[in-house]
Amino acid sequence: MGLALTRAAQWTTASSGTGKLEITPLNESLLKEIQRFVEQFSARHPQEAKHVFKEPLQWKTSLEASDFKTEYDISGASVVSHEKDRNGRPLLHLSPPLISVLSLSQLSKLLQVAKERKLKEVRACLEANRDPVVRMLGPSFATVEGEDSSVLRLLEKVRGGDPGGETEIQARLLLLLQQLDTQLLSTSLKQISQEVRLSPAAVKNEVELLKSFCGSGEKRLLKSVNYTSDYEFSNGCRSPPWRQVHGEICYLIVEPCDTDTLYITCCTAGVFLNGGIKQEGEESPYDRSGDVYKDLVSLLKAHSVHFADQINTQDFAVQEEPPSTQKIPHVESVDAEEPGQTLRAHEHQEKNAHDRARQQQLAASKPGGKKKLEPSPKWKGLGLPSPQPEAEERKKGKRTEKSTEKSAESQAKATRPDSRKKADFSGSSLPVHQSSHRTKVTVEEFSESSSESGEDEEQPERRPESNTDLPSEYWQIQKLVKYLKGGNQTATVIALCSMRDFNLAQETCQLAIRDVGGLEVLINLLATDEIKCKIGSLKILKKISQNSQIRRAIADLGGLQIMVCILDSPDKELKCLSAETIANVAKFRRARRTVRQHGGIKRLVELLDCVPDSAALTVEQERDVEVARCGALALWSCSKSTRNKEAIRRAGGIPLLARLLKSPHENMLIPVVGTLQECASEKSYRVAIQTEGMVEDLVKNLSCDNQELQMHCASAIFKCAEDKRTRDLVRHYAGLQPLVNLLGKSENKQLLAATTGAIWKCSISMENVAMFKEYKALEILVGLLTNQPEEVLVNVVGALGECAQQPANRTTIYKSGGIPSLVNLLTGTNQALLVNVTRAVGACATEPENMAIIDRLDGVRLLWSLLKNPNPDVQASAAWAICPCIENAKDAGEMVRSFVGGLELIVNLLKSNNGEVLASVCAAIANIAKDEENLAVITDHGVVPMLAKLTNTTDDKLRRHLAEAIARCCMWGSNRVAFGEAGAVAPLVRYLRSKDPSVHQATARALFQLSKGPNNCITMHENGVVKLLIEMMGSTDEVLQEASAGCVANIRRLALANEKARYS
């Protein structure tokens, strides 16, 4: 199943790295096959169906508790199966919106429950679990590229153990899943082979044909056919680049004679109706709103009876051909990796040549000319060059290439009379591995990881203003390049050695090689069979590829593809040089993508296989270690891409990196730890770092003398310490003391940022906070609140916010003078810093002496102003911080009223769609409403209907604070009655069924206040509140007891009064 999902299924691309299954016929076919397999699995393979998965398959479901009948325990909105594993875990657990399933038998039953929503559930499950076999059988059965030996390992276990045991069932289940994989791949191959894909040229021809049948006569086929955009890209597409990556070619507005206007999308997979794209730039209407047809005629026949009749009878007239729109080439074709999005290059070239000729004719016939169409500024921002000047450059280049080739061949013949089997080293006679300098927009280009650096931006080319400024080395290098082009083998080797004598780290020397065509020659030398020439060429390329312009030129000339192939060479020096050069070149996205697409990741991972920590290494083993170091350097550069991280994992890189992490050599450890800290942004790597015992090695290297290595180790801990287990392991291996010691190296800002980040994440565990207090870390952190870059401040304030959850630490921050510094940071603009500093200020405000300083420095006003920030995280954090400020401020009511427009601002935040913002604002309103005058003001601002509107939520955190706010707001005027009329009472009764005790207490208090209104008592009674409250009266929580009893008493008093009135 994993292979089919990886290779056959069509996925959308997302920046987070997680995509969705596209709505295509191929995907629907695969989903139906998987659905049938799961439905029939229990009946066909009952023993395997009962096998309990290693980890549950979990996804967001559309099913509800009411959909489940027998064989399940239903409690409120949650559902658990009667079947449980040996540890007592239910094999199916629904806690809306999440569902977890631990066996195929339960999956089969779930599909029966889903009925008409079966396909939707299968889709949601697979999108949330891209490699379901890992969940079912464990990480060792992950889908990998190349040879998969998981079945052989299982069979060996079966032979050695009990044939009827767990391992045999696992083996049978794996074989069944692999059979399904084969079946799915076969089905997809058949379907793909039957598909006929549209090209821009075919669409344009069909549109031009249909335009000739439009007009105003009686026998016209259509009223009009128009493009939504007059601008045509060089690849023939008229859709914007960000839609071209989905295979879309253009959008049409067609007016039939007998029906409404049709808005049509033409894409490589076919044509279909869209939501109504009328002009460029509209985002919402791109979605498909009908079936996919193979061409425009088929779609129009299906939607226009007049068109179908006229086509069938062939009774229509051809109108005069309208003048075609001007075409300005701009963007190269969409180079999408996703299936169904490739547009053929030879079609573009033929089409462009035809259109250029046509444009010249139009320009000659119209002396006045027409307005030149300019691309949208949004497309210009992508840095996509126009290929017109490049076409001229290519023509010029071809002429130069031919003349160079002739002269080089004649020189070669003169210097080499014999024609025996020798490598020909002339730069022109070798195959020139050049690719055009055209920029290509691809799906992957927009799906790289967030760790991409500024190196990805195009660097402006710097050239001397005149030749007189060029040093002598420039001209000497150019002479050597000429020898490389025309010399024999001996001359080539001598020229390479001479070139290495120059200072190749100097930019003038680097650009001299490029300007005279030396890069092409050096890259072509890599394709020869002569080891010496390859080594000499790679040594030069390794040095000059430090230059960003050279890097891009090497990638444009196809150098990376050859270097990847050299990684298979038996010569270890060649491997090292090739890997080091790849490490230099792969500093930008396109290069990293090229390495992956040509199998470079797998080859680089294979280089890591060595014995790094042996006491006495042989000469051969030392060479292996050097090869592994160079491979790790290249992987470090490549690991900045999300897809490359996944490719490294699939190629088996994690255990090899774990082994290299035990090396005693710092030059090996730096690239290994660098790669790990880059990859630690992915959850699979964080889990592996825990389970493979890498945390101990990372902690050990925190105490080394190399600051770069310390920085990478701290950065890896920073990313991994989100997980509690990692935090515990860092403490267990005594890693907290070294982190505190590293705070003393404040002059190295990169090291300081990584260290403070690691301390912040480790501080999430209170056990670690206690040790940080013991090591005097808080005093040092407070000292770092000033004169530091923002990336350091974010982490420092985050750590203080976590530590301030303990009262003793709040006092330490106060005594160290940290409160004024924190309040000053509230005026910043960095969103992450504002989230952390509001949390820290809020935690410190719980102490009266801290609150006095915050109030004196106008900190509460600054917090209130952050409620206007557009970032929901900042809004929520500010609102949470306001709560303790109101609770602990002297004369809080007057303070709040002094903020002009402040109460209206906080009430309006109840319109937010963010759950955390709503919960925090409700908590703040509950505190504000303690003051009667403020309560009157927020009532006038409409707080009652807004709170009532939120009562249907299922979020327990919001429920708790919402109930507290309602309880407080009931104490003014007729608010109790208003809540009842707004329908807030019945949903509140349902809160008592929550599993959160804090929700029960807040709800009981709200119901007690509401029960003072007679109509509310009736509503509560009708919704069964009495039975629930009687249960609550037996609680050990005195506040809950008292509120529950008071509410029941009010309901009972109303009932007695009614009885008395009826009988009197």
Side-chain angles (χ1 to χ4, degrees):
M1 202 185 305
L3 275 175
L5 291 175
T6 304
R7 296 181 182 176
Q10 297 167 339
W11 296 85
T12 62
T13 304
S15 59
S16 62
T18 58
K20 300 287 184 184
L21 284 165
E22 291 182 357
I23 301 173
T24 61
L26 174 60
N27 279 352
E28 287 182 18
S29 172
L30 292 175
L31 289 173
K32 285 176 182 175
E33 288 280 348
I34 294 170
Q35 176 194 319
R36 279 196 292 272
F37 173 81
V38 174
E39 282 181 316
Q40 299 168 5
F41 196 84
S42 289
R44 292 183 175 181
H45 312 285
Q47 197 173 2
E48 289 79 8
K50 292 178 182 177
H51 175 75
V52 178
F53 301 158
K54 294 288 184 184
E55 293 181 38
L57 293 175
Q58 192 174 62
W59 69 93
K60 288 186 178 180
T61 181
S62 59
L63 299 177
E64 297 175 352
S66 56
D67 295 319
F68 294 83
K69 306 299 179 189
T70 57
E71 300 184 27
Y72 299 97
D73 290 327
I74 302 172
S75 174
S78 66
V79 177
V80 295
S81 63
H82 291 167
E83 288 186 67
K84 293 180 170 56
D85 66 3
R86 62 184 65 175
N87 297 321
R89 285 188 302 174
L91 298 185
L92 182 144
H93 182 206
L94 169 66
S95 179
L98 293 178
I99 190 167
S100 302
V101 179
L102 274 165
S103 74
L104 277 164
S105 65
Q106 285 297 330
L107 271 179
S108 181
K109 291 175 184 177
L110 184 137
L111 290 183
Q112 292 172 12
V113 168
K115 297 179 182 176
E116 70 279 355
R117 289 173 285 177
K118 291 177 184 177
L119 216 58
K120 184 178 179 181
E121 290 300 314
V122 174
R123 177 186 293 275
C125 177
L126 294 177
E127 286 174 348
N129 305 274
R130 290 284 286 264
D131 198 349
V133 180
V134 173
R135 296 271 181 180
M136 295 177 180
L137 300 175
S140 57
F141 297 93
T143 304
V144 296
E145 295 176 4
E147 185 180 351
D148 184 1
S149 59
S150 53
V151 179
L152 296 174
R153 290 198 304 270
L154 264 181
L155 289 174
E156 287 175 5
K157 286 184 181 179
V158 170
R159 286 177 188 169
D162 179 14
E166 187 74 15
T167 310
E168 185 179 358
I169 295 172
Q170 255 188 334
R172 290 204 301 266
L173 179 56
L174 180 60
L175 288 172
L176 290 169
L177 292 172
Q178 289 186 341
Q179 284 176 9
L180 173 63
D181 243 339
T182 306
Q183 183 183 339
L184 293 174
L185 289 171
S186 175
T187 303
S188 63
L189 189 61
K190 286 179 185 175
Q191 188 151 347
I192 291 169
S193 63
Q194 292 169 0
E195 287 181 359
V196 178
R197 310 200 70 76
L198 292 179
S199 67
V203 171
K204 183 173 182 178
N205 290 337
E206 193 171 11
V207 171
E208 294 296 331
L209 182 65
L210 289 173
K211 280 185 175 182
S212 67
F213 300 139
C214 299
S216 55
E218 294 180 1
K219 293 188 176 182
R220 62 183 176 179
L221 277 178
L222 301 163
K223 290 182 183 178
S224 66
V225 178
N226 293 303
Y227 292 106
T228 58
S229 170
D230 290 334
Y231 184 81
E232 182 178 336
F233 291 92
S234 63
N235 59 4
C237 295
R238 293 172 186 262
S239 60
W242 55 91
R243 299 305 301 178
Q244 289 183 33
V245 298
H246 297 287
E248 293 179 6
I249 298 169
C250 65
Y251 311 108
L252 302 172
I253 302 175
V254 178
E255 287 189 77
C257 297
D258 58 341
T259 185
D260 295 335
T261 302
L262 302 176
Y263 299 96
I264 300 171
T265 296
C266 301
C267 69
T268 55
V271 297
F272 54 83
L273 295 180
N274 59 49
I277 300 172
K278 299 176 184 176
Q279 63 183 24
E280 226 174 59
E282 296 183 15
E283 295 293 336
S284 55
Y286 287 113
D287 295 337
R288 174 160 63 92
S289 60
D291 295 331
V292 180
Y293 297 86
K294 64 178 182 179
D295 53 31
L296 278 169
V297 172
S298 302
L299 184 145
L300 292 171
K301 285 170 74 174
H303 290 84
S304 171
V305 176
H306 170 81
F307 183 88
D309 291 344
Q310 294 285 68
I311 284 286
N312 292 335
T313 59
Q314 297 187 3
D315 185 19
F316 49 84
V318 178
Q319 306 294 325
E320 185 179 350
E321 184 179 354
S324 59
T325 55
Q326 184 182 5
K327 174 172 174 291
I328 308 289
H330 182 65
V331 177
E332 185 55 15
S333 81
V334 176
D335 184 21
E337 283 187 293
E338 303 291 336
Q341 294 177 8
T342 305
L343 305 177
R344 296 181 182 175
H346 70 271
E347 293 176 356
H348 302 156
Q349 292 167 2
E350 293 171 3
K351 179 180 182 306
N352 291 344
H354 170 73
D355 285 348
R356 278 195 292 272
R358 190 167 183 175
Q359 283 176 29
Q360 291 168 3
Q361 291 172 5
L362 285 170
S365 62
K366 296 182 181 180
K370 60 191 289 187
K371 184 180 177 182
K372 183 179 179 182
L373 295 173
E374 289 294 337
S376 161
K378 196 181 291 184
W379 301 335
K380 283 182 178 178
L382 293 175
L384 305 173
S386 170
Q388 278 182 320
E390 291 170 4
E392 295 173 10
E393 195 177 323
R394 283 197 297 275
K395 289 178 184 175
K396 194 184 294 182
K398 285 180 182 175
R399 289 196 294 270
T400 310
E401 202 174 291
K402 287 178 181 176
S403 62
T404 308
E405 187 173 348
K406 287 178 183 176
S407 61
E409 283 178 357
S410 61
Q411 286 178 13
K413 287 175 183 175
T415 56
R416 197 170 53 240
D418 60 325
S419 58
R420 287 179 292 177
K421 294 183 180 178
K422 288 185 179 179
D424 189 357
F425 294 96
S426 70
S428 56
S429 61
L430 289 168
V432 181
H433 296 274
Q434 294 192 105
S435 63
S436 64
H437 293 265
R438 296 172 292 187
T439 304
K440 299 197 175 189
V441 183
T442 71
V443 172
E444 290 183 337
E445 197 147 334
F446 298 103
S447 65
E448 302 291 347
S449 76
S450 59
S451 60
E452 301 290 1
S453 63
E455 170 61 28
D456 295 314
E457 300 300 325
E458 291 292 343
Q459 300 292 325
E461 186 165 343
R462 298 182 297 277
R463 285 180 175 275
E465 293 182 4
S466 65
N467 289 344
T468 56
D469 297 332
L470 295 172
S472 60
E473 290 91 342
Y474 185 89
W475 307 111
Q476 290 170 10
I477 286 175
Q478 291 206 345
K479 287 180 183 177
L480 287 173
V481 172
K482 290 177 183 176
Y483 284 118
L484 282 179
K485 285 184 176 180
N488 58 15
Q489 178 181 347
T490 306
T492 301
V493 173
I494 293 171
L496 289 171
C497 293
S498 300
M499 199 177 290
R500 287 192 59 211
D501 291 337
F502 288 93
N503 181 12
L504 295 179
Q506 189 178 342
E507 188 177 29
T508 307
C509 298
Q510 296 166 350
L511 297 181
I513 295 172
R514 186 199 64 175
D515 292 347
V516 77
L519 284 178
E520 290 92 331
V521 182
L522 290 171
I523 289 169
N524 284 329
L525 286 174
L526 300 180
T528 66
D529 295 329
E530 289 297 323
I531 301 293
K532 290 180 181 178
C533 293
K534 286 183 178 181
I535 289 173
S537 176
L538 281 171
K539 284 182 176 179
I540 293 169
L541 288 171
K542 184 183 86 170
K543 286 189 177 180
I544 65 176
S545 58
Q546 302 287 346
N547 184 301
S548 61
Q549 296 175 37
I550 300 291
R551 283 199 281 270
R552 294 180 183 279
I554 290 171
D556 290 338
L557 294 167
L560 280 169
Q561 291 90 319
I562 306 174
M563 291 178 209
V564 167
C565 294
I566 290 175
L567 294 175
D568 290 330
S569 168
D571 189 286
K572 291 178 181 177
E573 186 178 4
L574 264 182
K575 285 181 179 180
C576 287
L577 289 168
S578 181
E580 284 184 290
T581 311
I582 289 172
N584 289 339
V585 177
K587 293 283 173 66
F588 60 103
R589 294 179 187 176
R590 181 160 51 87
R592 289 192 283 270
R593 187 172 64 249
T594 302
V595 173
R596 181 181 71 251
Q597 289 174 343
H598 289 83
I601 300 296
K602 187 177 179 183
R603 290 180 172 97
L604 289 169
V605 169
E606 288 170 356
L607 299 185
L608 303 180
D609 195 1
C610 70
V611 185
D613 53 348
S614 178
L617 296 176
T618 64
V619 175
E620 196 65 24
Q621 286 175 332
E622 285 179 357
R623 288 178 185 165
D624 288 337
V625 170
E626 180 61 17
V627 169
R629 185 191 69 82
C630 297
L633 273 172
L635 286 174
W636 187 9
S637 293
C638 293
S639 64
K640 290 182 172 63
S641 157
T642 303
R643 294 197 179 193
N644 285 355
K645 292 172 189 175
E646 179 62 18
I648 293 169
R649 185 188 68 79
R650 290 192 174 208
I654 294 176
L656 293 173
L657 288 168
R659 190 164 68 183
L660 292 176
L661 193 57
K662 299 187 182 299
S663 170
H665 307 293
E666 288 180 357
N667 63 347
M668 169 70 83
L669 289 170
I670 288 173
V672 169
V673 179
T675 306
L676 285 171
Q677 68 90 11
E678 283 289 351
C679 294
S681 58
E682 302 295 313
K683 186 177 180 182
S684 56
Y685 279 89
R686 293 199 296 271
V687 172
I689 287 171
Q690 294 170 6
T691 55
E692 296 280 347
M694 289 189 252
V695 175
E696 182 179 5
D697 297 312
L698 292 173
V699 167
K700 182 181 72 175
N701 289 317
L702 286 174
S703 302
C704 71
D705 295 328
N706 189 305
Q707 291 193 3
E708 186 181 2
L709 179 56
Q710 289 174 324
M711 185 262 290
H712 292 308
C713 289
S715 182
I717 292 171
F718 175 28
K719 292 178 181 177
C720 295
E722 291 279 358
D723 307 315
K724 185 179 185 304
R725 187 179 172 193
T726 302
R727 296 195 294 270
D728 294 341
L729 287 171
V730 172
R731 183 177 67 255
H732 175 72
Y733 292 119
L736 301 180
Q737 178 76 66
L739 285 173
V740 175
N741 294 341
L742 288 177
L743 291 175
K745 300 180 180 180
S746 56
E747 68 285 349
N748 186 335
K749 300 304 178 187
Q750 285 185 316
L751 174 59
L752 187 61
T755 303
T756 51
I759 290 174
W760 171 22
K761 296 303 178 183
C762 288
S763 299
I764 298 172
S765 295
M766 288 299 107
E767 301 91 340
N768 291 347
V769 170
M771 297 193 73
F772 282 135
K773 186 176 186 302
E774 184 182 330
Y775 299 144
K776 307 293 183 185
L778 267 72
E779 291 85 344
I780 303 173
L781 289 171
V782 169
L784 295 172
L785 285 174
T786 52
N787 302 321
Q788 297 296 339
E790 284 186 340
E791 57 268 24
V792 174
L793 287 173
V794 169
N795 298 337
V796 170
V797 176
L800 288 173
E802 295 297 340
C803 294
Q805 303 304 312
Q806 293 184 350
N809 292 336
R810 295 196 284 270
T811 305
T812 302
I813 294 170
Y814 164 73
K815 289 179 179 178
S816 303
I819 305 298
S821 300
L822 288 171
V823 173
N824 288 338
L825 292 174
L826 289 171
T827 58
T829 56
N830 183 298
Q831 304 295 296
L833 178 57
L834 288 174
V835 170
N836 285 354
V837 77
T838 46
R839 175 177 164 81
V841 169
C844 291
T846 54
E847 300 296 326
E849 61 270 21
N850 291 346
M851 185 58 223
I853 299 174
I854 293 168
D855 192 14
R856 189 177 71 247
L857 296 172
D858 219 10
V860 183
R861 187 184 298 277
L862 292 172
L863 286 171
W864 216 286
S865 67
L866 290 176
L867 296 175
K868 299 177 185 177
N869 192 293
N871 188 327
D873 294 333
V874 176
Q875 291 175 347
S877 189
W880 286 123
I882 285 169
C883 296
C885 290
I886 296 173
E887 287 176 8
N888 295 284
K890 292 180 180 178
D891 199 7
E894 183 60 36
M895 178 188 70
V896 171
R897 283 193 296 279
S898 70
F899 303 145
V900 178
L903 291 173
E904 183 179 5
L905 171 63
I906 203 161
V907 170
N908 284 335
L909 282 177
L910 290 172
K911 298 173 184 175
S912 172
N913 295 321
N914 185 288
E916 189 69 16
V917 172
L918 292 172
S920 60
V921 169
C922 286
I925 286 173
N927 283 287
I928 291 167
K930 292 176 182 177
D931 182 89
E932 194 174 70
E933 288 184 46
N934 289 339
L935 177 54
V937 174
I938 62 174
T939 301
D940 291 341
H941 287 309
V943 74
V944 172
M946 288 186 187
L947 290 173
K949 192 176 179 181
L950 298 174
T951 51
N952 285 310
T953 181
T954 56
D955 181 355
D956 277 345
K957 189 174 184 179
L958 175 55
R959 281 176 164 183
R960 173 192 167 187
H961 296 290
L962 177 59
E964 287 176 352
I966 290 173
R968 292 287 180 186
C969 290
C970 282
M971 297 178 185
W972 175 257
S974 59
N975 283 359
R976 294 186 184 89
V977 177
F979 276 120
E981 291 172 351
V985 177
L988 279 171
V989 173
R990 292 197 292 271
Y991 290 10
L992 295 175
R993 296 187 176 91
S994 168
K995 294 180 180 178
D996 187 349
S998 61
V999 174
H1000 297 163
Q1001 187 194 100
T1003 305
R1005 289 167 58 195
L1007 290 172
F1008 171 62
Q1009 292 296 332
L1010 290 168
S1011 67
K1012 295 177 183 179
N1015 290 333
N1016 293 342
C1017 286
I1018 295 168
T1019 306
M1020 290 178 200
H1021 192 272
E1022 287 173 350
N1023 285 273
V1025 77
V1026 175
K1027 183 179 178 181
L1028 294 167
L1029 287 173
I1030 289 173
E1031 291 178 10
M1032 302 294 171
M1033 286 161 63
S1035 169
T1036 55
D1037 184 342
E1038 292 183 5
V1039 177
L1040 176 57
Q1041 279 182 349
E1042 188 176 345
S1044 302
C1047 185
V1048 171
N1050 287 339
I1051 294 171
R1052 182 58 184 154
R1053 285 192 195 99
L1054 179 64
L1056 290 172
N1058 284 339
E1059 286 181 16
K1060 186 175 180 181
R1062 188 166 53 184
Y1063 293 113
S1064 60

